[in-house]
Amino acid sequence: RALLWLGPVYLAGYLGLSGSWVLLGLALWLCWGHNRRWKRDRLAAALALLEDEREAVCRGLAARQLPAWVHFPDVERVEWLNKVLVQAWPYFGTIMEKTFKEVVEPKIRAKNVHLKTCTFTKIHFGEKCPRINGIKAYTKEIDRRQITLDLQICYIGDCEIHMDISKFNLGVKGVQLYGTLRVILEPLLTDAPFIGAVTLFFLQKPHLEINWAGMSNLLDVPGINVMSDSLIQDFIAARLVLPNRITVPLKKNMNIAHLRFPIPRGVIRVHLLEAENLVQKDSFLGAIRGKSDPYALLRVGTVQYRSKTVPRDLNPIWNETFEFVVHEVPGQDLEVDLYDEDPDKDDFMGSLLISLVDVMNDRSVDEWFPLSKTTSGHLHLKLEWLSLVSDQEKLHEDKKGLSTALLIVYLDSAFNLPKNHFEYSNGECGAKKIKNNKYLKKTEREPSSFVLLTVGNKTQKSKTCNFSKDPTWGQAFTFFVHSAHSQSLHVEIKDKDRDSALGTSVVCLSHVLKDPSMTLDQRFQLDHSSSDSFIKMKLVLRALNIEEPDPQRVKAGVNASKQGPVHPMEKDGNQQKFASPPKPEASKVPPVSQDSAAVESLLKKDSREDLDTNDSSAAPVPSKTVSGLNETEHNQKAEHHPPSAPQTRAAVAPTLPVVQELRLAPSVTSLGSLPSSCFELSSSNLDLQNGSEVPLGEIQLTVRYASIRQSLVVLVNGCRNLVPNSNRGVDPYVRIYLLPDRRWASRKKTSVKKKTLNPQYDEKFEFFESLEDVKKRTLDVAVKNSRPFISQERKELGKVRIDLAQEDLIKGFAQW
């Protein structure tokens, strides 16, 4: 071994090479060793966690390392299933060993002449079997004839697979795989086996890490390891990641084509408008902070788009539009990552994750979203959900050049393809004889064909079927169509080995429009090929329809149906200071009743941009949709005047039916869900009658969870009938904690209202936490008196705690 290491050094000196070559080789060897040790250590740590999960959880591991059932209440722990897998794993390993020997090995040998010596020398799937960390079953927003399950798969295996190719030993020794596998059981039947087929696919690219053995260790060399891992992940994504599926029929004569290639759920149109207050990533001489060159990466599933780069701007304006096909809802999300473009490595500037279920329900969302994983920054997006309809009246030219329809191509198979492009010419048999051609053997064998499909300027390529005149592809493709009456689908079948065309076909989309269901399922004659050469395809054309938002529905996100205003800023060099919104003066606001004041304040609060504020000249933008109220009722309420201010204070506050009419609160079937008030007595000036307290007043709160913004929204409307604790009057304000977090930085506080027992706040606060975390929290709301610093007066006026686990936060509630 010493001679082996010193050999290259001696050879470099003998050839007179520079010492930098030796240093370069040494650096590569050290990096390779580091990668190998890093991979082995992670595999060992993962195996230790797999051995005793209970001990690992009790040690208090980081949240991201805990299994899914710890975080999410709707993910169920299935230890019984893991025990079944442990018992069945040795038998599964035996079946797989037989499959590798009898099925995989012959296929590898047939791929290439150089692989004819391929032999599996060792196949052992180890003692560690895959684990299912949790299962989530969907019961809403799915078909009644199907069962949808999400399995959190974790495989940390000690498998060993070795193969010899021309005396070279290649192998794998250890695999790590993490991912969410969706299992769809459909259709449900009334007779045995009760399930027609099983469909499997990963929602996102799974995390895969392979510990190589033998000559395969060269794949751990720096630079090569990243490329090899990405190639393997792309190989898996091309077969197992959505929109690709594996469908296994369980009943005979079951047509699984519509199960493997279902029509997509819809299209999400993303308008990337602008961003503001982004972090500064560029620096000069390592100390002077400059600006950034931001761009955005938008991703849904395996489809990713990149926006243009805006140079040297922390408040970039893009005004770009992207469209994504959504295949599974729930399951797919919109991911947005912002980066600072640099010559060497782009810097991360923040990310955003938006649930497409909420966008589908709201249909249209126009909001400023706070960026996560960064210190500052907001992103302005307009999201539109486009449903797929088979109504030809919905097809019309878009003046902005956006897509108006979606073409779905199911590529099935081809029949009687020519062996080569010399055999046929323009549909007639040429029968050209090729003499003394060294490629004669190659031209005589069956073609290895693939298909190029083109609509407009977009071309997609199918997989390659080797050595067959009647290839079967079985793939689906989607194309955005701008003008269905004038565009066409161009199909070209090519031979991989000779890069020659075996046949072409052009299908005008106007032919698809002639069918009432906008569907064509037939064989198409191939041009420039044999007279009996066909290609079988199914073409489905669907119009993209933007449905109007339902005014009766509570939006999942805050201000989800309004137009986001442009937010002016006061600039001072590189620093931006946001001007606070103006407070309406009492003299300018028309006097209204207590009922109308609370109702209108609720609407006005939802019609403002809460995360970003306007300058002093900008008035609040009213919401375009007023849920539950028509114009007549709104005008009647606005024109109602109380006789005097004292009577207004004494008036009865809005009752629950009024709030319920606004669709901002759930139907209150019992008062048992009302939060109970608690109070700490620190003064003896309260009268106690028969051991019970005098009512300490009430506070009106509106609480709901905004799924799109990933935040808990708490709207403090006002208080009534507070109990004074001093003769000089009280100056009440409201303090909010999201328990158990009692940090000063996380405290929310309203403004102070002077000398009143019925203060009106109409202030909104947000806690940016996931829904699963919020469900475990308690909302602590206290009304306090703003007393002088050295005063002996009691500070607390009352307190209420709301157990958020008992409330429907998505629907929201508004209660006193």
Side-chain angles (χ1 to χ4, degrees):
R1 181 174 298 181
L3 291 177
L4 182 62
W5 301 139
L6 295 176
V9 180
Y10 173 78
L11 183 63
Y14 179 78
L15 296 177
L17 298 178
S18 171
S20 58
W21 289 98
V22 180
L23 295 178
L24 178 62
L26 182 62
L28 285 175
W29 178 75
L30 291 174
C31 291
W32 171 83
H34 177 268
N35 283 345
R36 294 288 300 164
R37 289 191 299 273
W38 183 52
K39 203 173 264 189
R40 281 197 298 266
D41 292 344
R42 282 192 296 174
L43 182 62
L47 285 173
L49 174 62
L50 188 65
E51 286 291 339
D52 194 346
E53 183 184 20
R54 180 185 297 273
E55 181 183 352
V57 172
C58 293
R59 283 201 309 263
L61 293 175
R64 60 184 178 86
Q65 295 177 338
L66 294 178
W69 56 266
V70 177
H71 307 296
F72 308 108
D74 51 354
V75 177
E76 301 177 14
R77 190 180 185 185
V78 284
E79 280 305 306
W80 62 270
L81 185 55
N82 289 322
K83 294 176 181 178
V84 172
L85 289 177
V86 170
Q87 291 294 103
W89 184 247
Y91 301 94
F92 175 79
T94 303
I95 296 174
M96 291 303 297
E97 291 173 14
K98 186 177 180 181
T99 303
F100 268 74
K101 276 289 186 182
E102 298 180 359
V103 179
V104 179
E105 187 175 293
K107 286 187 176 181
I108 294 177
R109 290 180 176 181
K111 283 287 185 181
N112 196 291
V113 178
H114 303 288
L115 299 178
K116 285 187 175 181
T117 60
C118 172
T119 305
F120 284 99
T121 58
K122 183 177 181 179
I123 302 175
H124 179 58
F125 277 81
E127 304 297 330
K128 308 297 181 183
C129 71
R131 277 187 57 85
I132 300 178
N133 287 336
I135 291 182
K136 181 177 181 179
Y138 291 92
T139 57
K140 299 178 181 178
E141 299 179 354
I142 62 172
D143 191 354
R144 291 178 59 87
R145 295 193 62 193
Q146 70 174 205
I147 298 174
T148 302
L149 305 173
D150 281 351
L151 278 65
Q152 307 289 337
I153 299 294
C154 169
Y155 177 49
I156 307 167
D158 55 348
C159 62
E160 284 192 60
I161 302 176
H162 295 269
M163 61 186 299
D164 286 341
I165 301 178
S166 301
K167 298 182 180 180
F168 291 101
N169 181 264
L170 308 174
V172 173
K173 190 176 181 180
V175 175
Q176 293 190 54
L177 176 68
Y178 306 94
T180 301
L181 180 69
R182 172 157 291 187
V183 180
I184 301 179
L185 310 176
E186 65 172 338
L188 301 180
L189 308 175
T190 56
D191 54 347
F194 307 110
I195 297 173
V198 179
T199 302
L200 307 171
F201 55 88
F202 283 98
L203 292 173
Q204 304 286 346
K205 280 186 181 181
H207 171 76
L208 177 66
E209 194 167 320
I210 299 176
N211 190 22
W212 301 104
M215 292 292 295
S216 304
N217 279 329
L218 295 176
L219 295 177
D220 285 332
V221 172
I224 299 179
N225 62 335
V226 177
M227 183 176 63
S228 62
D229 292 345
S230 62
L231 286 176
I232 295 174
Q233 290 186 3
D234 291 342
F235 179 81
I236 295 176
R239 288 157 178 81
L240 283 176
V241 179
L242 199 67
N244 305 292
R245 305 164 185 247
I246 292 181
T247 303
V248 181
L250 301 181
K251 188 175 181 179
K252 294 182 179 179
N253 303 324
M254 174 64 65
N255 184 12
I256 62 173
H258 68 285
L259 301 179
R260 289 188 61 195
F261 310 111
I263 294 180
R265 295 292 302 273
V267 171
I268 180 72
R269 179 175 290 165
V270 183
H271 300 273
L272 178 64
L273 302 179
E274 56 185 324
E276 66 180 10
N277 199 24
L278 298 180
V279 294
Q280 301 171 339
K281 288 294 183 179
D282 292 340
S283 60
F284 303 98
L285 302 177
I288 304 175
R289 304 296 294 178
K291 293 189 177 182
S292 299
D293 308 317
Y295 68 89
L297 292 179
L298 299 95
R299 181 170 52 255
V300 173
T302 57
V303 180
Q304 177 174 291
Y305 294 112
R306 171 175 170 164
S307 72
K308 63 184 179 183
T309 302
V310 180
R312 297 182 55 76
D313 197 346
L314 298 179
N315 302 282
I317 298 177
W318 288 287
N319 287 330
E320 295 185 76
T321 302
F322 305 94
E323 294 173 323
F324 298 91
V325 179
V326 182
H327 296 273
E328 284 291 323
V329 175
Q332 289 189 289
D333 299 319
L334 171 64
E335 303 173 58
V336 183
D337 295 326
L338 293 185
Y339 288 91
D340 170 36
E341 186 175 32
D342 288 324
D344 48 358
K345 183 180 179 181
D346 297 344
D347 298 320
F348 179 74
M349 300 180 67
S351 64
L352 183 64
L353 183 67
I354 299 176
S355 173
L356 295 184
V357 178
D358 301 318
V359 180
M360 181 183 68
N361 294 333
D362 290 347
R363 300 173 186 173
S364 180
V365 176
D366 188 351
E367 287 195 26
W368 285 85
F369 297 92
L371 296 174
S372 59
K373 302 178 183 178
T374 185
T375 56
S376 66
H378 289 79
L379 186 63
H380 188 190
L381 297 177
K382 181 181 179 182
L383 309 174
E384 294 176 324
W385 178 265
L386 309 176
S387 56
L388 305 181
V389 296
S390 56
D391 187 0
Q392 297 189 17
E393 296 180 357
K394 301 292 184 180
L395 286 174
H396 58 276
E397 288 290 336
D398 192 277
K399 297 180 180 180
K400 299 179 181 179
L402 300 175
S403 303
T404 59
L406 183 72
L407 177 65
I408 308 162
V409 181
Y410 301 99
L411 179 62
D412 188 2
S413 56
F415 307 93
N416 197 28
L417 293 180
K419 292 182 179 180
N420 54 74
H421 67 290
F422 299 111
E423 188 174 349
Y424 299 96
S425 176
N426 293 325
E428 298 181 358
C429 182
K432 295 183 179 180
K433 295 183 179 180
I434 308 173
K435 296 181 179 180
N436 300 325
N437 193 335
K438 63 180 180 180
Y439 299 106
L440 184 59
K441 291 184 178 181
K442 182 179 288 190
T443 57
E444 287 180 349
R445 70 186 184 193
E446 302 292 337
S448 299
S449 55
F450 63 90
V451 182
L452 295 178
L453 300 104
T454 304
V455 174
N457 57 0
K458 183 178 181 181
T459 300
Q460 299 191 53
K461 179 181 177 181
S462 73
K463 65 181 182 182
T464 302
C465 292
N466 293 317
F467 315 127
S468 175
K469 292 185 66 176
D470 302 315
T472 300
W473 294 282
Q475 290 180 276
F477 305 89
T478 56
F479 296 90
F480 287 105
V481 178
H482 300 276
S483 176
H485 298 279
S486 59
Q487 287 188 280
S488 302
L489 170 66
H490 296 261
V491 182
E492 183 179 13
I493 304 179
K494 304 190 73 174
D495 188 356
K496 180 189 71 171
D497 296 330
R498 296 177 289 273
D499 196 21
S500 57
L502 302 177
T504 60
S505 179
V506 179
V507 182
C508 295
L509 299 186
S510 56
H511 296 326
V512 185
L513 295 176
K514 295 179 181 179
D515 187 86
S517 61
M518 300 171 64
T519 302
L520 282 184
D521 188 2
Q522 65 183 50
R523 293 184 179 184
F524 297 90
Q525 172 73 47
L526 289 175
D527 298 328
H528 308 289
S529 186
S530 172
S531 58
D532 56 349
S533 296
F534 297 89
I535 184 170
K536 184 179 180 181
M537 296 184 297
K538 181 179 179 181
L539 309 182
V540 179
L541 190 64
R542 290 292 181 264
L544 301 182
N545 181 40
I546 303 179
E547 300 180 8
E548 292 296 328
D550 185 6
Q552 301 296 324
R553 184 183 179 276
V554 177
K555 297 298 181 182
V558 182
N559 310 332
S561 64
K562 76 173 190 61
Q563 297 290 335
V566 179
H567 308 281
M569 294 169 292
E570 299 176 0
K571 296 187 177 181
D572 182 13
N574 292 331
Q575 303 294 328
Q576 289 88 19
K577 297 183 180 179
F578 294 88
S580 59
K583 297 291 181 181
E585 299 179 5
S587 60
K588 296 182 181 180
V589 179
V592 293
S593 66
Q594 187 82 3
D595 291 7
S596 302
V599 170
E600 290 182 358
S601 65
L602 218 64
L603 296 175
K604 289 180 181 178
K605 269 298 173 182
D606 276 349
S607 67
R608 290 179 193 163
E609 188 59 54
D610 303 295
L611 295 177
D612 308 295
T613 55
N614 300 334
D615 61 0
S616 58
S617 63
V621 181
S623 175
K624 290 187 176 181
T625 59
V626 181
S627 54
L629 292 177
N630 55 27
E631 293 183 1
T632 304
E633 294 173 339
H634 184 44
N635 293 335
Q636 289 176 355
K637 287 179 180 260
E639 293 173 0
H640 178 72
H641 297 273
S644 62
Q647 293 179 1
T648 303
R649 292 182 180 180
V652 180
T655 58
L656 285 177
V658 175
V659 182
Q660 188 177 357
E661 188 175 314
L662 283 173
R663 304 284 182 178
L664 289 175
S667 58
V668 182
T669 56
S670 67
L671 297 178
S673 61
L674 288 173
S676 59
S677 298
C678 60
F679 180 69
E680 298 175 1
L681 289 176
S682 59
S683 177
S684 60
N685 62 347
L686 293 178
D687 296 329
L688 299 179
Q689 300 175 358
N690 299 326
S692 61
E693 298 180 11
V694 174
L696 302 175
E698 293 175 299
I699 182 171
Q700 187 189 36
L701 300 173
T702 301
V703 182
R704 67 176 179 272
Y705 188 81
S707 301
I708 295 181
R709 301 167 76 98
Q710 297 288 305
S711 67
L712 178 71
V713 182
V714 180
L715 175 62
V716 180
N717 301 101
C719 301
R720 66 183 180 187
N721 303 328
L722 296 179
V723 177
N725 60 356
S726 66
N727 295 328
R728 69 174 189 88
V730 293
D731 302 330
Y733 69 92
V734 180
R735 184 270 301 149
I736 305 176
Y737 281 123
L738 191 59
L739 301 181
D741 189 2
R742 286 183 173 274
R743 293 177 301 164
W744 182 268
S746 60
R747 186 186 71 154
K748 308 295 183 183
K749 177 184 173 183
T750 67
S751 58
V752 178
K753 301 299 180 181
K754 297 291 186 179
K755 302 296 184 295
T756 177
L757 298 178
N758 299 279
Q760 195 72 24
Y761 297 102
D762 295 335
E763 297 184 34
K764 183 180 291 185
F765 305 96
E766 289 187 279
F767 297 89
F768 292 97
E769 301 285 347
S770 64
L771 180 59
E772 290 76 16
D773 290 339
V774 169
K775 285 283 189 180
K776 305 173 186 177
R777 304 289 194 93
T778 300
L779 195 66
D780 183 284
V781 183
V783 181
K784 297 192 174 185
N785 177 29
S786 179
R787 59 182 182 175
F789 178 68
I790 58 175
S791 174
Q792 298 296 322
E793 297 174 3
R794 178 169 48 85
K795 188 174 183 180
E796 293 81 5
L797 299 178
K799 183 188 298 184
V800 62
R801 287 185 179 177
I802 304 174
D803 186 4
L804 298 179
Q806 307 298 324
E807 303 291 345
D808 186 358
L809 298 179
I810 296 296
K811 194 174 181 180
F813 64 90
Q815 295 178 3
W816 283 93

